[in-house]
């Protein structure tokens, strides 16, 4: 080989090695940056979740008839989501929505929210505004994403007889359909001032008979199957509410 060529080759080799070193440094830096960003994101997400929980607990604390309702319905809804739409369980917004579903109750007067007897028609009209009040609170918080659709639609019924929009069937956001069942099941199986809790088997019959009217039939079937499995494995319902 001509000596000039050998020098040239050597120079190119050295340049390539330097270039590889630079690349390696860049990759390491990028890795570090990503780790920092990921850590910051994880911290932000967990602070956000804590804040959302606190907000939801503030609402629950005002509503004297629904103690522990928040935790149970959250667990029921998550268990159903894992079964019906597992791909949604990784989306933080869904959990936020389940926790914040009743956030709009901050706008409902105590005299209605905690009335010991049944509500009058006018009082019901006020009570039914809580999903829309909730939307106005949650919508500006972009990080909450689709949570707003759960807040808006958690009282919509499969047959179109719910509120606030009277949406029907699959027009209702799936997690809101899931939540409707979790919420109703918890209400049925909890003591209320005006009636005792229903036994679980009666509440399950109610779910079955309202599948296709109040509840999404697929969600209702998934719930019946889930409870059936838990019972067969000897787990009480509390296995879900932890
Ligand atoms: Fe509600």
């Amino acid at each position: 080989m001509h000596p000039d060529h050998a020098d040239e080759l050597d120079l190119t080799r050295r340049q390539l090695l330097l270039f590889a070193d630079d690349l390696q440094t860049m990759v390491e830096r990028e890795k570090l940056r990503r780790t920092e960003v990921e850590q910051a994101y994880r911290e932000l997400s967990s602070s956000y979740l804590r804040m959302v929980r606190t907000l939801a607990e503030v609402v629950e604390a005002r509503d004297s008839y629904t103690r522990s309702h928040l935790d149970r319905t959250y667990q029921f809804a998550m268990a159903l989501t894992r079964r019906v739409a597992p791909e949604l369980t990784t989306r933080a917004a869904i959990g936020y929505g389940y926790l914040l579903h009743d956030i709009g109750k901050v706008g409902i007067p105590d005299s209605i929210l905690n009335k010991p007897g049944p509500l009058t028609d006018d009082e019901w009209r006020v009570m039914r505004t809580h999903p829309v009040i909730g939307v106005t609170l949650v919508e500006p918080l972009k990080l909450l994403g689709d949570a707003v659709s759960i807040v808006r639609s958690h009282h919509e019924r499969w047959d179109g007889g719910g509120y606030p929009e009277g949406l029907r069937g699959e027009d209702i956001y799936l997690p809101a359909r899931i939540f409707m069942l979790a919420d109703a099941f918890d209400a049925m199986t909890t003591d209320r001032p005006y009636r005792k809790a229903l036994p679980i088997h009666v509440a399950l019959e109610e779910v079955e008979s309202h599948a296709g009217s109040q509840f999404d039939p697929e969600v209702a079937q998934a719930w019946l199957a889930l409870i059936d499995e838990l019972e067969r494995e000897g787990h009480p319902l509390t296995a879900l509410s932890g």
Side-chain angles (χ1 to χ4, degrees):
M1 190 183 290
H2 191 278
D4 282 355
H5 271 165
D7 281 355
E8 215 170 281
L9 203 62
D10 194 41
L11 187 66
T12 310
R13 201 176 284 137
R14 270 186 286 135
Q15 274 174 342
L16 270 178
L17 283 174
L18 281 175
F19 182 60
D21 269 357
D22 278 356
L23 259 183
Q24 183 66 26
T25 312
M26 277 167 65
V27 167
E28 293 300 328
R29 256 193 228 145
E30 180 60 17
K31 268 192 204 157
L32 190 66
R33 197 185 63 82
R34 271 200 209 161
T35 315
E36 282 168 0
V37 169
E38 275 165 16
Q39 194 179 341
Y41 184 76
R42 266 198 303 275
E43 278 167 16
L44 186 67
S45 298
S46 81
S47 314
Y48 218 78
L49 186 61
R50 271 200 301 277
M51 191 194 75
V52 165
R53 239 176 211 288
T54 307
L55 264 177
E57 280 163 7
V58 166
V59 176
E60 194 193 47
R62 264 192 72 220
D63 193 342
S64 58
Y65 302 143
T66 57
R67 277 204 209 294
S68 317
H69 162 76
L70 186 65
D71 265 341
R72 280 192 311 271
T73 46
Y74 175 78
Q75 298 298 341
F76 291 172
M78 285 310 258
L80 255 176
T81 309
R82 278 193 289 276
R83 200 156 181 116
V84 177
E87 70 282 3
L88 294 179
T89 49
T90 54
R91 291 179 43 196
I94 306 297
Y96 294 156
Y98 292 158
L99 287 171
L100 290 174
H101 67 281
D102 269 347
I103 187 84
K105 283 189 177 172
V106 295
I108 307 298
D110 273 333
S111 57
I112 295 178
L113 196 61
N114 289 320
K115 187 175 173 184
L119 300 183
T120 65
D121 286 352
D122 277 347
E123 288 165 339
W124 265 120
R125 260 189 285 281
V126 175
M127 188 64 143
R128 287 195 180 112
T129 59
H130 79 269
V132 174
I133 297 172
V135 169
T136 62
L137 296 172
V138 167
E139 207 162 35
L141 305 170
K142 293 296 171 214
L143 203 61
L144 292 178
D146 287 349
V148 70
S149 303
I150 300 172
V151 174
R152 179 188 288 116
S153 302
H154 73 278
H155 286 289
E156 298 289 0
R157 292 169 49 113
W158 180 258
D159 61 8
Y163 62 94
E165 295 172 287
L167 297 177
R168 186 184 291 268
E170 291 184 1
D171 287 345
I172 308 162
Y173 186 48
L174 175 59
R177 281 182 259 149
I178 288 173
F179 195 82
M180 152 61 89
L181 195 147
D183 202 15
F185 194 80
D186 183 60
M188 286 191 275
T189 51
T190 308
D191 281 337
R192 292 289 161 113
Y194 42 90
R195 60 146 181 77
K196 284 296 221 185
L198 295 179
I200 288 182
H201 75 273
V202 178
L204 290 173
E205 282 165 20
E206 287 289 305
V207 169
E208 200 162 16
S209 68
H210 291 91
S213 53
Q214 184 175 356
F215 308 121
D216 174 340
E218 263 181 54
V219 172
Q221 279 315 313
W223 184 245
L224 296 173
L226 181 63
I227 300 296
D228 193 46
E229 269 172 37
L230 282 175
E231 276 180 351
R232 249 184 280 176
E233 286 166 14
H235 293 301
L237 191 62
T238 47
L240 281 178
S241 53

